[in-house]
Amino acid sequence: MTQDLLKPRHWATWSGVAIFWLISWLPLNARHALGRLIGKLAWRYNRKRRAIVLANLALAFPDWDGGKRERIGKKHF
């Protein structure tokens, strides 16, 4: 079983674990900056999730204008 985890089909998973391990060694400010960058990229390029967030905010807060919902959505990401 342990040998199976070393096969090439698991290399992407191990690479992800290694990246997260390396990130955990960064100072807190650097991790926050990295998180903000990833959030901005996700907001910009993940249209499906952005649409879901905006639709949920529109349902939950119908009295808010579109600009306020977008600001809150960006802050969430």
Side-chain angles (χ1 to χ4, degrees), residues 32-61:
H32 282 220
L34 184 62
R36 280 190 297 274
L37 175 66
I38 292 170
K40 285 179 184 180
L41 290 173
W43 177 261
R44 182 174 175 102
Y45 295 111
N46 197 341
R47 293 180 184 164
K48 182 179 176 183
R49 292 293 171 189
R50 181 176 59 219
I52 291 170
V53 166
L54 293 175
N56 285 340
L57 287 172
L59 289 171
F61 304 103

Side-chain angles (χ1 to χ4, degrees), residues 61-71:
F61 304 103
D63 53 326
W64 287 1
D65 65 348
K68 184 171 184 178
R69 284 193 292 265
E70 191 164 323
R71 281 192 307 276

